Amino acid sequence: MIGAALATRLHLGLALALWSLALVGLLARLVVQRPETIRERANIAPEAARHTLSTVLQAVTDALDMPAVILRADGMILQQNEAADRSFGHLSDGMHVSARWRSPSILDMIRDTVATGLPNQVEHSERLPSERVYITRIAPVVMPQGAVADEPLYLLSFKDISELRRLDRMRSDFVANASHELRTPLASLRGFLETLQGPAKNDPKAQERFIVIMLDQANRMSRLVDDLLSLSRLEMKAHLAPEDKVDLVSLLGHVRDSLQPLAEEMDVELSLDLPDGPALVLGDRDELVQVFENLIENACKYGQDGKRVDVGVKAISGKAVEVSVVDYGPGIPPEHVPRLTERFYRVSLADSRSKKGTGLGLAIVKHILTRHRARLIIKSEPGAKTEFTVRF
Ligand code: ADP
């Protein structure tokens, strides 16, 4: 009996001891979990902690590719990253944000965020050193409770959207230009149809004349639609480099045969200077046919006065191959040369229209060559000769 009671008491004592140990452990954990700052935990002095914070902020913001500036609540600039340095130059420490950005929308936005603690953004343009458009955003730098920052900080960042804006403008210009180009022949067709229904109803001679003009306008519209479709098809596969082997020598022979009637009609002698063997490049045969048809056709049309067009192929340094198309017409004034491959760009609108141009030929050439990783080089000496070179 006594033995059994002793055993029970021993068990009870053991249980109590274990329970107390657990309680002490729990209390110790609670004490350790008292909110303490990272600084206290790491035992860092406030100055050193501030230095660490600024080093970390600098390293993190330098890793960003967009300009970023750290501000105090009073608008003083504390730090700027490398991208901000490149875009806006060095802003001296302690400078007020308004000394660099005077725009009221930016300053109001900053004030608003400092007051509410909520991020904000506005669109902002800079004129110098070059015209740029930014989405400028301000956001509080939210630190975990007890972290080293002893004052609120704000990140002012600049997302450059100039390129997006340029593309948007190009797209809407393109739609406007394409509609305008289509509207002109369409209006002329409608005008003639109305005349045929009314004043020219019983005039077979006028009817005959008008029908020829109407056919001409309809052809112009379909050339334009064909070129627009070609461009949009090319845009869809712009990133796919062609992989077939194409022999430029046989391809140019084929292009010459198809353009010979046009050259004869324009009284232009088309001469080809080709190597004996093949000149192979990676490409899409149909697209390259289109490139050289456009270039040789332009040379015959715009260089008609020179009466001769020379097409040559030569292999240069190792694997590169060059095809040149030379005419001896009036040439292109230098200020127009850089813009010739823009859609609908023409040196003379009347000249292009009279030669059945759409203003899209060289834009198509440029698109095809970009896909082929090839370059178009245009050199013109007005009054002497004009050379379009394709370098593969
Ligand atoms: P288009 O359909 O008007 O011919 P392109 O894009 O093929 O359009 O050419 C754009 C413009 O470039 C032409 O309108 C013409 O003014 C100019 N151009 C192109 N090739 C030549 C050339 N060989 N000589 C002179 N001007 C040229």
Side-chain angles (χ1 to χ4, degrees), residues 48-69:
R50 225 168 280 134
H51 177 71
T52 311
L53 172 69
S54 102
T55 316
V56 171
L57 281 177
Q58 192 65 53
V60 172
T61 51
D62 278 350
L64 283 173
D65 63 348
M66 61 162 77
V69 175

PDB file of all heavy atoms in Angstrom, residues 48-69:
ATOM      1  N   ALA A  48      24.595  53.951 -37.948  1.00  0.00           N
ATOM      2  CA  ALA A  48      25.021  52.819 -38.782  1.00  0.00           C
ATOM      3  C   ALA A  48      23.803  52.203 -39.449  1.00  0.00           C
ATOM      4  O   ALA A  48      23.839  51.805 -40.614  1.00  0.00           O
ATOM      5  CB  ALA A  48      25.740  51.786 -37.923  1.00  0.00           C
ATOM      6  N   ALA A  49      22.673  52.140 -38.703  1.00  0.00           N
ATOM      7  CA  ALA A  49      21.451  51.537 -39.249  1.00  0.00           C
ATOM      8  C   ALA A  49      20.966  52.355 -40.442  1.00  0.00           C
ATOM      9  O   ALA A  49      20.596  51.814 -41.478  1.00  0.00           O
ATOM     10  CB  ALA A  49      20.373  51.500 -38.171  1.00  0.00           C
ATOM     11  N   ARG A  50      21.016  53.694 -40.294  1.00  0.00           N
ATOM     12  CA  ARG A  50      20.572  54.560 -41.384  1.00  0.00           C
ATOM     13  C   ARG A  50      21.457  54.350 -42.612  1.00  0.00           C
ATOM     14  O   ARG A  50      21.007  54.313 -43.733  1.00  0.00           O
ATOM     15  CB  ARG A  50      20.632  56.026 -40.912  1.00  0.00           C
ATOM     16  CG  ARG A  50      19.369  56.774 -41.311  1.00  0.00           C
ATOM     17  CD  ARG A  50      19.265  58.104 -40.632  1.00  0.00           C
ATOM     18  NE  ARG A  50      18.786  58.014 -39.262  1.00  0.00           N
ATOM     19  CZ  ARG A  50      19.322  58.649 -38.240  1.00  0.00           C
ATOM     20  NH1 ARG A  50      20.382  59.398 -38.405  1.00  0.00           N
ATOM     21  NH2 ARG A  50      18.809  58.533 -37.030  1.00  0.00           N
ATOM     22  N   HIS A  51      22.756  54.171 -42.328  1.00  0.00           N
ATOM     23  CA  HIS A  51      23.696  53.964 -43.422  1.00  0.00           C
ATOM     24  C   HIS A  51      23.377  52.657 -44.148  1.00  0.00           C
ATOM     25  O   HIS A  51      23.350  52.592 -45.379  1.00  0.00           O
ATOM     26  CB  HIS A  51      25.125  53.953 -42.868  1.00  0.00           C
ATOM     27  CG  HIS A  51      26.156  53.684 -43.901  1.00  0.00           C
ATOM     28  ND1 HIS A  51      26.477  54.616 -44.862  1.00  0.00           N
ATOM     29  CD2 HIS A  51      26.885  52.576 -44.168  1.00  0.00           C
ATOM     30  CE1 HIS A  51      27.385  54.091 -45.668  1.00  0.00           C
ATOM     31  NE2 HIS A  51      27.648  52.861 -45.266  1.00  0.00           N
ATOM     32  N   THR A  52      23.090  51.609 -43.350  1.00  0.00           N
ATOM     33  CA  THR A  52      22.761  50.300 -43.945  1.00  0.00           C
ATOM     34  C   THR A  52      21.513  50.433 -44.816  1.00  0.00           C
ATOM     35  O   THR A  52      21.470  49.949 -45.941  1.00  0.00           O
ATOM     36  CB  THR A  52      22.481  49.257 -42.828  1.00  0.00           C
ATOM     37  OG1 THR A  52      23.539  49.337 -41.905  1.00  0.00           O
ATOM     38  CG2 THR A  52      22.359  47.860 -43.398  1.00  0.00           C
ATOM     39  N   LEU A  53      20.504  51.136 -44.288  1.00  0.00           N
ATOM     40  CA  LEU A  53      19.258  51.284 -45.033  1.00  0.00           C
ATOM     41  C   LEU A  53      19.530  51.988 -46.362  1.00  0.00           C
ATOM     42  O   LEU A  53      19.079  51.545 -47.422  1.00  0.00           O
ATOM     43  CB  LEU A  53      18.246  52.100 -44.221  1.00  0.00           C
ATOM     44  CG  LEU A  53      16.979  52.478 -44.981  1.00  0.00           C
ATOM     45  CD1 LEU A  53      16.134  51.245 -45.264  1.00  0.00           C
ATOM     46  CD2 LEU A  53      16.160  53.504 -44.221  1.00  0.00           C
ATOM     47  N   SER A  54      20.330  53.057 -46.312  1.00  0.00           N
ATOM     48  CA  SER A  54      20.539  53.801 -47.550  1.00  0.00           C
ATOM     49  C   SER A  54      21.343  52.974 -48.545  1.00  0.00           C
ATOM     50  O   SER A  54      21.105  53.031 -49.738  1.00  0.00           O
ATOM     51  CB  SER A  54      21.163  55.167 -47.254  1.00  0.00           C
ATOM     52  OG  SER A  54      22.520  55.160 -47.529  1.00  0.00           O
ATOM     53  N   THR A  55      22.272  52.144 -48.050  1.00  0.00           N
ATOM     54  CA  THR A  55      23.034  51.281 -48.963  1.00  0.00           C
ATOM     55  C   THR A  55      22.104  50.275 -49.634  1.00  0.00           C
ATOM     56  O   THR A  55      22.187  50.039 -50.836  1.00  0.00           O
ATOM     57  CB  THR A  55      24.136  50.511 -48.191  1.00  0.00           C
ATOM     58  OG1 THR A  55      24.764  51.422 -47.310  1.00  0.00           O
ATOM     59  CG2 THR A  55      25.133  49.877 -49.119  1.00  0.00           C
ATOM     60  N   VAL A  56      21.205  49.684 -48.819  1.00  0.00           N
ATOM     61  CA  VAL A  56      20.297  48.676 -49.378  1.00  0.00           C
ATOM     62  C   VAL A  56      19.356  49.323 -50.402  1.00  0.00           C
ATOM     63  O   VAL A  56      19.174  48.814 -51.509  1.00  0.00           O
ATOM     64  CB  VAL A  56      19.485  47.976 -48.253  1.00  0.00           C
ATOM     65  CG1 VAL A  56      18.392  47.101 -48.838  1.00  0.00           C
ATOM     66  CG2 VAL A  56      20.408  47.158 -47.369  1.00  0.00           C
ATOM     67  N   LEU A  57      18.810  50.497 -50.027  1.00  0.00           N
ATOM     68  CA  LEU A  57      17.899  51.183 -50.957  1.00  0.00           C
ATOM     69  C   LEU A  57      18.614  51.520 -52.259  1.00  0.00           C
ATOM     70  O   LEU A  57      18.068  51.363 -53.345  1.00  0.00           O
ATOM     71  CB  LEU A  57      17.371  52.479 -50.325  1.00  0.00           C
ATOM     72  CG  LEU A  57      16.234  52.328 -49.324  1.00  0.00           C
ATOM     73  CD1 LEU A  57      15.883  53.685 -48.737  1.00  0.00           C
ATOM     74  CD2 LEU A  57      15.009  51.714 -49.980  1.00  0.00           C
ATOM     75  N   GLN A  58      19.865  51.969 -52.135  1.00  0.00           N
ATOM     76  CA  GLN A  58      20.626  52.332 -53.339  1.00  0.00           C
ATOM     77  C   GLN A  58      20.820  51.102 -54.218  1.00  0.00           C
ATOM     78  O   GLN A  58      20.580  51.147 -55.426  1.00  0.00           O
ATOM     79  CB  GLN A  58      21.993  52.902 -52.928  1.00  0.00           C
ATOM     80  CG  GLN A  58      22.747  53.566 -54.058  1.00  0.00           C
ATOM     81  CD  GLN A  58      22.028  54.822 -54.579  1.00  0.00           C
ATOM     82  OE1 GLN A  58      21.708  55.698 -53.800  1.00  0.00           O
ATOM     83  NE2 GLN A  58      21.763  54.883 -55.877  1.00  0.00           N
ATOM     84  N   ALA A  59      21.213  49.989 -53.600  1.00  0.00           N
ATOM     85  CA  ALA A  59      21.482  48.785 -54.391  1.00  0.00           C
ATOM     86  C   ALA A  59      20.210  48.308 -55.085  1.00  0.00           C
ATOM     87  O   ALA A  59      20.221  47.947 -56.258  1.00  0.00           O
ATOM     88  CB  ALA A  59      22.044  47.697 -53.483  1.00  0.00           C
ATOM     89  N   VAL A  60      19.083  48.320 -54.347  1.00  0.00           N
ATOM     90  CA  VAL A  60      17.828  47.819 -54.925  1.00  0.00           C
ATOM     91  C   VAL A  60      17.350  48.742 -56.048  1.00  0.00           C
ATOM     92  O   VAL A  60      17.005  48.280 -57.132  1.00  0.00           O
ATOM     93  CB  VAL A  60      16.738  47.677 -53.833  1.00  0.00           C
ATOM     94  CG1 VAL A  60      15.388  47.354 -54.454  1.00  0.00           C
ATOM     95  CG2 VAL A  60      17.131  46.603 -52.834  1.00  0.00           C
ATOM     96  N   THR A  61      17.396  50.058 -55.812  1.00  0.00           N
ATOM     97  CA  THR A  61      16.897  50.967 -56.862  1.00  0.00           C
ATOM     98  C   THR A  61      17.848  50.997 -58.063  1.00  0.00           C
ATOM     99  O   THR A  61      17.404  51.145 -59.190  1.00  0.00           O
ATOM    100  CB  THR A  61      16.650  52.398 -56.326  1.00  0.00           C
ATOM    101  OG1 THR A  61      17.825  52.822 -55.645  1.00  0.00           O
ATOM    102  CG2 THR A  61      15.453  52.475 -55.420  1.00  0.00           C
ATOM    103  N   ASP A  62      19.148  50.802 -57.835  1.00  0.00           N
ATOM    104  CA  ASP A  62      20.095  50.755 -58.970  1.00  0.00           C
ATOM    105  C   ASP A  62      19.801  49.567 -59.879  1.00  0.00           C
ATOM    106  O   ASP A  62      20.096  49.596 -61.067  1.00  0.00           O
ATOM    107  CB  ASP A  62      21.541  50.672 -58.477  1.00  0.00           C
ATOM    108  CG  ASP A  62      22.086  52.044 -58.105  1.00  0.00           C
ATOM    109  OD1 ASP A  62      21.411  53.043 -58.421  1.00  0.00           O
ATOM    110  OD2 ASP A  62      23.176  52.109 -57.496  1.00  0.00           O
ATOM    111  N   ALA A  63      19.222  48.517 -59.292  1.00  0.00           N
ATOM    112  CA  ALA A  63      18.918  47.331 -60.104  1.00  0.00           C
ATOM    113  C   ALA A  63      17.711  47.570 -61.018  1.00  0.00           C
ATOM    114  O   ALA A  63      17.462  46.797 -61.935  1.00  0.00           O
ATOM    115  CB  ALA A  63      18.662  46.132 -59.187  1.00  0.00           C
ATOM    116  N   LEU A  64      16.959  48.642 -60.767  1.00  0.00           N
ATOM    117  CA  LEU A  64      15.803  48.955 -61.623  1.00  0.00           C
ATOM    118  C   LEU A  64      16.265  49.616 -62.918  1.00  0.00           C
ATOM    119  O   LEU A  64      17.222  50.369 -62.896  1.00  0.00           O
ATOM    120  CB  LEU A  64      14.886  49.957 -60.905  1.00  0.00           C
ATOM    121  CG  LEU A  64      13.982  49.455 -59.798  1.00  0.00           C
ATOM    122  CD1 LEU A  64      13.309  50.650 -59.140  1.00  0.00           C
ATOM    123  CD2 LEU A  64      12.927  48.530 -60.383  1.00  0.00           C
ATOM    124  N   ASP A  65      15.524  49.337 -64.021  1.00  0.00           N
ATOM    125  CA  ASP A  65      15.930  50.003 -65.263  1.00  0.00           C
ATOM    126  C   ASP A  65      15.184  51.319 -65.458  1.00  0.00           C
ATOM    127  O   ASP A  65      15.403  52.026 -66.422  1.00  0.00           O
ATOM    128  CB  ASP A  65      15.711  49.081 -66.462  1.00  0.00           C
ATOM    129  CG  ASP A  65      14.258  48.739 -66.649  1.00  0.00           C
ATOM    130  OD1 ASP A  65      13.475  49.032 -65.728  1.00  0.00           O
ATOM    131  OD2 ASP A  65      13.898  48.184 -67.703  1.00  0.00           O
ATOM    132  N   MET A  66      14.295  51.674 -64.547  1.00  0.00           N
ATOM    133  CA  MET A  66      13.580  52.952 -64.689  1.00  0.00           C
ATOM    134  C   MET A  66      14.103  53.952 -63.654  1.00  0.00           C
ATOM    135  O   MET A  66      14.527  53.557 -62.558  1.00  0.00           O
ATOM    136  CB  MET A  66      12.068  52.744 -64.508  1.00  0.00           C
ATOM    137  CG  MET A  66      11.667  52.219 -63.166  1.00  0.00           C
ATOM    138  SD  MET A  66       9.912  52.472 -62.835  1.00  0.00           S
ATOM    139  CE  MET A  66       9.151  51.221 -63.796  1.00  0.00           C
ATOM    140  N   PRO A  67      14.104  55.238 -64.018  1.00  0.00           N
ATOM    141  CA  PRO A  67      14.581  56.227 -63.048  1.00  0.00           C
ATOM    142  C   PRO A  67      13.747  56.193 -61.766  1.00  0.00           C
ATOM    143  O   PRO A  67      12.519  56.070 -61.838  1.00  0.00           O
ATOM    144  CB  PRO A  67      14.379  57.563 -63.777  1.00  0.00           C
ATOM    145  CG  PRO A  67      14.307  57.218 -65.226  1.00  0.00           C
ATOM    146  CD  PRO A  67      13.718  55.852 -65.305  1.00  0.00           C
ATOM    147  N   ALA A  68      14.429  56.266 -60.618  1.00  0.00           N
ATOM    148  CA  ALA A  68      13.716  56.267 -59.332  1.00  0.00           C
ATOM    149  C   ALA A  68      14.447  57.177 -58.359  1.00  0.00           C
ATOM    150  O   ALA A  68      15.679  57.262 -58.367  1.00  0.00           O
ATOM    151  CB  ALA A  68      13.648  54.849 -58.780  1.00  0.00           C
ATOM    152  N   VAL A  69      13.669  57.870 -57.552  1.00  0.00           N
ATOM    153  CA  VAL A  69      14.237  58.831 -56.597  1.00  0.00           C
ATOM    154  C   VAL A  69      13.565  58.579 -55.249  1.00  0.00           C
ATOM    155  O   VAL A  69      12.358  58.351 -55.191  1.00  0.00           O
ATOM    156  CB  VAL A  69      13.919  60.279 -57.082  1.00  0.00           C
ATOM    157  CG1 VAL A  69      14.370  61.298 -56.066  1.00  0.00           C
ATOM    158  CG2 VAL A  69      14.573  60.557 -58.427  1.00  0.00           C
TER     159      VAL A  69
END
